[in-house]
Amino acid sequence: MKIVHTVKEVRETINNWKKEGKTIGLVPTMGYLHEGHQSLIKASVAGNDKTVVSVFVNPTQFGPNEDYASYPRDLKKDAALCEATGADLIFNPEPEEMYPDRFCSYVNITGLSDALCGKSRPIHFKGVCTVVSKLFNIVTPDRAYFGEKDAQQLAIIRRMVKDLNFPLEIVGCPIIREEDGLAKSSRNTYLNTEERKAALILSKSIFAGKEMVENGETDANAVVARMKEIINSEPLAVIDYVEMVNMDTMKNIDTIEGSVLCAIAVKIGKTRLIDNFISIENTPASTSGE
Ligand code: PAF
């Protein structure tokens, strides 16, 4: 497995692979990889001849008071995980490689980006869509893999790929949880022992909400109210949002029908964590822009 830092090096490798007729999977990440990322890499290795993992903490998706500087980084450990999982190439650019002097072109998806995380992180999805578009253009993958934990991000990327005719397939992969239920996240490392215990309130409320829906509850507000009640029972938890939205529009719903996303963001101490469940009616496993 190779680690490269420039666009030129990625393109050279990809060109050689394409000449040999190889298919390419891309797993975009910000590094500090865990079993959630590993499941994406595994899916890519299983579905493609070659797998590229990008490891780049993308400055444009962090707000001024967010954790860009302190976001955990460990390329050595990431490389070991990628190699052990069968990846072929890590692309680990410096910020200047992705955003050279006078950079001023951004990709902004309106509407879908205004809801949920977009409300409390107004520039976040513009940064995500910009860097993901750049990665698609640099790597030109056949498939790209994203986790369902960032369900709004996945919905936005699916939309972007359709709207902008990116010739690739987006594959969503299920949330991977710790044994006690907490959704895996690089940010879990910020939690001290007391906060780590308190963070279980997220998955507890998600499982309770999911059970209500599975038992036939169709009143979205009743599910949200119960989930908020559970989260508020934890003194260290501060709710950013608990919402049920239509999967395609990200607009709030009153009645649970069709494909619905129930998403939460909760602060435990200084750490903002997200989790969700999806109630599906014909949600595609993959989307193509072709
Ligand atoms: O989900 C992430 O880790 C990031 O938002 C992504 C998709 C790698 C873009 O920086």
Side-chain angles (χ1 to χ4, degrees):
M1 188 194 69
K2 267 205 304 195
I3 303 179
V4 298
H5 304 282
T6 65
V7 174
K8 188 167 172 274
E9 288 168 299
V10 178
R11 289 215 157 121
E12 277 166 10
T13 308
I14 300 284
N15 282 344
N16 289 334
W17 288 344
K18 291 217 161 163
K19 272 185 213 146
E20 293 165 12
K22 307 286 188 206
T23 57
I24 293 159
L26 169 66
V27 182
T29 82
M30 297 209 299
Y32 218 71
L33 306 179
H34 49 66
E35 289 90 333
H37 299 109
Q38 195 170 28
S39 73
L40 306 181
I41 300 170
K42 276 185 190 160
S44 175
V45 169
N48 303 277
D49 299 321
K50 297 287 181 187
T51 289
V52 180
V53 180
S54 61
V55 174
F56 178 59
V57 184
N58 174 35
T60 62
Q61 70 188 72
F62 289 81
N65 300 318
E66 293 184 351
D67 56 341
Y68 173 65
S70 60
Y71 196 86
R73 293 155 166 92
D74 189 342
L75 184 60
K76 232 179 171 182
K77 207 162 141 247
D78 290 345
L81 181 143
C82 287
E83 180 136 44
T85 315
D88 299 279
L89 183 73
I90 290 183
F91 176 40
N92 173 233
E94 290 297 323
E96 300 73 36
E97 179 71 8
M98 294 300 269
Y99 300 107
D101 252 6
R102 295 168 53 215
F103 183 93
C104 57
S105 306
Y106 291 88
V107 180
N108 197 16
I109 308 299
T110 55
L112 294 183
S113 298
D114 302 333
L116 306 176
C117 286
K119 267 193 241 163
S120 30
R121 308 186 71 191
I123 61 151
H124 177 66
F125 289 116
K126 183 175 161 191
V128 169
C129 289
T130 301
V131 81
V132 168
S133 301
K134 283 175 69 74
L135 290 168
F136 288 170
N137 286 331
I138 294 164
V139 177
T140 62
D142 298 280
R143 290 173 201 86
Y145 296 78
F146 295 87
E148 285 175 357
K149 183 168 85 66
D150 295 294
Q152 185 181 12
Q153 169 174 282
L154 178 56
I156 287 171
I157 289 169
R158 285 191 196 284
R159 186 76 254 159
M160 178 182 85
V161 161
K162 274 200 169 161
D163 287 353
L164 301 183
N165 305 96
F166 280 105
L168 61 103
E169 188 186 338
I170 298 297
V171 184
C173 299
I175 296 177
I176 304 292
R177 297 182 181 277
E178 303 284 354
E179 260 176 38
D180 61 7
L182 180 67
K184 299 245 184 202
S185 163
S186 306
R187 289 192 169 97
N188 290 349
T189 53
Y190 295 154
L191 302 167
N192 65 30
T193 313
E194 196 192 355
E195 290 169 343
R196 174 64 182 75
K197 260 192 220 152
L200 283 181
I201 207 67
L202 278 93
S203 49
K204 202 171 160 198
S205 78
I206 286 290
F207 298 153
K210 191 163 186 275
E211 196 180 331
M212 282 175 83
V213 175
E214 282 169 358
N215 287 341
E217 180 62 76
T218 54
D219 179 353
N221 297 313
V223 177
V224 167
R226 176 68 192 127
M227 290 173 68
K228 282 186 173 170
E229 187 180 38
I230 292 171
I231 298 168
N232 285 330
S233 72
E234 168 50 61
L236 290 184
V238 177
I239 293 176
D240 179 355
Y241 65 76
V242 177
E243 291 188 38
M244 291 198 98
V245 298
N246 176 287
M247 270 302 275
D248 298 322
T249 63
M250 297 284 137
K251 296 246 188 288
N252 287 99
I253 52 157
D254 291 320
T255 305
I256 299 167
E257 58 190 350
S259 296
V260 169
L261 166 67
C262 177
I264 66 176
V266 177
K267 264 192 144 180
I268 305 287
K270 285 190 178 142
T271 308
R272 185 176 176 281
L273 299 173
I274 59 173
D275 202 343
N276 70 71
F277 71 89
I278 294 169
S279 169
I280 301 183
E281 229 179 57
N282 299 329
T283 296
S286 65
T287 320
S288 165
E290 288 182 291

